[in-house]
Amino acid sequence: MEKFLVQGSGPLNGEIRIGGAKNSALKLMAASLLAEGSTSLNNVPEITDVAIMMELLEAMGVRVQRVGQRIEIDVPDEIEPVAPYSLVERMRASIVVLGPLLSRIGRAKVALPGGDDFGSRPIDMHLQGLEQLGAEFSYEHGDINGRADQLVGAEVFLEFPSVGATENLLMAAVLADGTTVIENAAREPEISDLANFLSKMGAVIEGIGTSRLTIEGVSALHPVSYEVIPDRIEAATYLAALGVCGGELRLIGARSDHMEMLLRKLEEMGMEWSEDEDGLTARVLERLQSVDVSTLPYPGLATDYKPFLVAALCVSQGAGMVTENIFAGRFRYIDELVRMGAEIRAEGRHAVVRGVKRLSGAPVRAHDIRAGAALVVAGLAADGETVISDAHHVDRGYEDLAGKLSSVGAQVTRI
Ligand code: EPU
């Protein structure tokens, strides 16, 4: 069982290279199923979730090979359109193969993902949207069996701008007959990345980056070479670490236009930042000030940033009210922070965090990727030693978190 060992650390100084976005790379890999031939993806982080998606593609008969930060995906004419429970259980994002399989093969058997640490995570909007394009679903032994002789474009109004549902619909619509309009589409930068990738493959998509996507179906797509955008959530993790330790960090590759709301919040808390063509430079000279935080779909403050912001609020000056509007159950890490001396009172979707000067190192557990990374951030702001167990959750979304942080002066190791 791997653990992180974190010691309270002084100012951070130096450079960190931001890797490719997990939540984009996974979807581009699924989208590669839409075209026969060799797709090449650059800037793909070496993380567990990507390895699981590689296994999933391989299970369908696709050849996948990693060469450094690039992966080569060779899609044969015939693929086995099945996503087994053994893989879906390990990564619920596997559900995004449903759209591409239905549109290219007309069949898909995908295990139903269960709930997770954020609580129940339904996929009703994915299925209803696909049904509007003509897909039919039946359920058997924990699997969804989907069929569609030929998907036909339709107007789909999403009840909520779901990231996964928007992606599945987008990948289904590109090969459908006629025009699809997705209203109230999610607008996350990773969705624009997927839409840009699909466009490069020959898809016709209008409204990229807006909440109304119009897709003109085409008869076939071709494989391409493409570079994944930088991971804004990874960048946010290092900004939070800087926030609690002070110092100056240069985040190579980070893009401010993907994280405007976060940078505004951090500025309000006292962080200074600037940008040049290579990335962002951020500086913290004094203890941060508390602010209120409320998560919303993009361009609002991402729910994935919240655990790091809560970790930073734990040692900021004053009190902040945190509201979770995306995943009602995403507060589990708070009990771990309380073990470290944080003053947090949580009720339902809200938590009030009263800043203390220092936390106190303690043994804690990572329940998911972001919660684990937030505990590492908290450990940097704690006296003594913090041991975070279940480090494997963090590996799902971070390539060498400990190595990158220790390269800028943080005391973090893997044991
Ligand atoms: N929802 C439904 N029905 C659906 C789909 C979603 O009720 O059919 C609800 C969800 O339960 C949730 C809300 O809608 O309350 C938003 O869920 P969304 O579909 O937007 O999230 P997702 O696609 O399942 C992705 C990221 C998450 C990130 C969220 C929100 C990936 C692989 N995952 O999940 O990232 O938190 O969007 O931005 O892209 C992570 O990287 O650690 C992570 C959890």
Side-chain angles (χ1 to χ4, degrees):
M1 188 68 80
E2 296 236 336
K3 298 177 181 183
F4 284 108
L5 179 64
V6 188
Q7 307 272 358
S9 302
L12 305 182
N13 277 293
E15 274 185 17
I16 295 179
R17 195 191 79 84
I18 302 303
K22 166 179 87 76
N23 290 347
S24 180
L26 294 174
K27 321 307 167 61
L28 302 190
M29 291 171 77
S32 69
L33 291 169
L34 287 162
E36 189 188 335
S38 301
T39 291
S40 173
L41 295 177
N42 273 313
N43 202 25
V44 180
E46 217 169 332
I47 54 175
T48 317
D49 275 11
V50 165
I52 298 173
M53 187 56 97
M54 286 170 78
E55 270 187 65
L56 179 55
L57 295 181
E58 278 164 351
M60 294 183 199
V62 175
R63 276 202 302 142
V64 193
Q65 203 192 345
R66 178 181 275 282
V67 186
Q69 293 288 304
R70 190 176 80 241
I71 58 171
E72 304 285 348
I73 304 171
D74 219 329
V75 181
D77 175 27
E78 295 269 311
I79 52 179
E80 177 72 12
V82 176
Y85 184 56
S86 56
L87 293 172
V88 177
E89 178 196 33
R90 285 165 63 203
M91 186 183 67
R92 68 183 335 279
S94 309
I95 191 71
V96 290
V97 298
L98 191 58
L101 289 177
L102 283 175
S103 60
R104 177 150 170 254
I105 317 285
R107 283 177 299 126
K109 179 173 170 161
V110 177
L112 270 168
D116 67 9
D117 268 324
F118 307 169
S120 141
R121 290 180 68 180
I123 53 161
D124 53 326
M125 283 189 263
H126 301 232
L127 301 180
Q128 280 161 18
L130 292 168
E131 276 169 351
Q132 282 177 265
L133 301 191
E136 289 177 0
F137 296 104
S138 60
Y139 304 89
E140 209 175 40
H141 311 304
D143 294 325
I144 318 165
N145 286 306
R147 277 203 160 271
D149 289 337
Q150 170 62 54
L151 292 175
V152 179
E155 183 155 342
V156 180
F157 210 117
L158 292 177
E159 227 175 277
F160 183 91
S162 153
V163 170
T166 303
E167 291 164 338
N168 250 332
L169 285 168
L170 185 54
M171 289 187 275
V174 286
L175 290 179
D177 233 358
T179 310
T180 299
V181 180
I182 310 173
E183 291 278 11
N184 199 24
R187 291 193 275 160
E188 272 68 4
E190 294 76 21
I191 291 180
S192 300
D193 205 32
L194 172 63
N196 287 329
F197 175 68
L198 293 168
S199 302
K200 196 169 178 194
M201 292 172 86
V204 181
I205 305 171
E206 264 179 43
I208 297 177
T210 74
S211 54
R212 181 189 165 96
L213 292 169
T214 306
I215 305 112
E216 206 66 62
V218 295
S219 58
L221 297 176
H222 54 83
V224 293
S225 176
Y226 191 83
E227 170 128 353
V228 179
I229 55 168
D231 198 314
R232 62 196 168 105
I233 319 288
E234 187 196 12
T237 313
Y238 302 127
L239 289 175
L242 176 71
V244 303
C245 293
E248 184 170 312
L249 279 188
R250 217 166 131 62
L251 301 179
I252 306 295
R255 284 177 58 166
S256 70
D257 58 329
H258 288 171
M259 38 205 289
E260 265 181 44
M261 197 61 88
L262 175 75
L263 289 168
R264 279 168 195 263
K265 265 294 153 197
L266 292 172
E267 253 179 57
E268 228 182 291
M269 295 174 84
M271 186 178 285
E272 295 168 16
W273 64 275
S274 59
E275 186 169 32
D276 60 35
E277 57 193 22
D278 294 330
L280 292 180
T281 301
R283 194 174 314 108
V284 172
L285 301 173
E286 288 175 359
R287 185 177 175 197
L288 294 178
Q289 294 289 328
S290 292
V291 289
D292 291 342
V293 167
S294 180
T295 64
L296 278 176
Y298 194 82
L301 207 62
T303 170
D304 301 87
Y305 298 146
K306 192 195 59 184
F308 323 132
L309 288 171
V310 169
L313 287 175
C314 286
V315 289
S316 295
Q317 179 105 42
M321 161 83 99
V322 180
T323 304
E324 172 61 57
N325 292 307
I326 312 292
F327 295 112
R330 201 171 191 175
F331 268 128
R332 258 185 97 180
Y333 57 94
I334 280 182
D335 293 333
E336 307 295 314
L337 290 170
V338 168
R339 285 184 48 67
M340 298 176 69
E343 288 189 14
I344 308 178
R345 175 107 193 220
E347 211 167 289
R349 292 178 174 271
H350 305 282
V352 174
V353 187
R354 285 191 182 80
V356 296
K357 273 227 161 92
R358 294 290 285 172
L359 294 170
S360 168
V364 288
R365 186 171 299 281
H367 291 291
D368 72 61
I369 313 175
R370 310 302 171 194
L375 292 171
V376 171
V377 171
L380 297 174
D383 287 329
E385 189 176 281
T386 298
V387 179
I388 302 156
S389 52
D390 286 353
H392 63 275
H393 283 301
V394 174
D395 300 336
R396 291 187 50 193
Y398 291 86
E399 190 179 308
D400 198 15
L401 180 68
K404 286 188 178 183
L405 280 171
S406 42
S407 75
V408 292
Q411 296 190 61
V412 186
T413 47
R414 282 293 278 252
I415 49 171

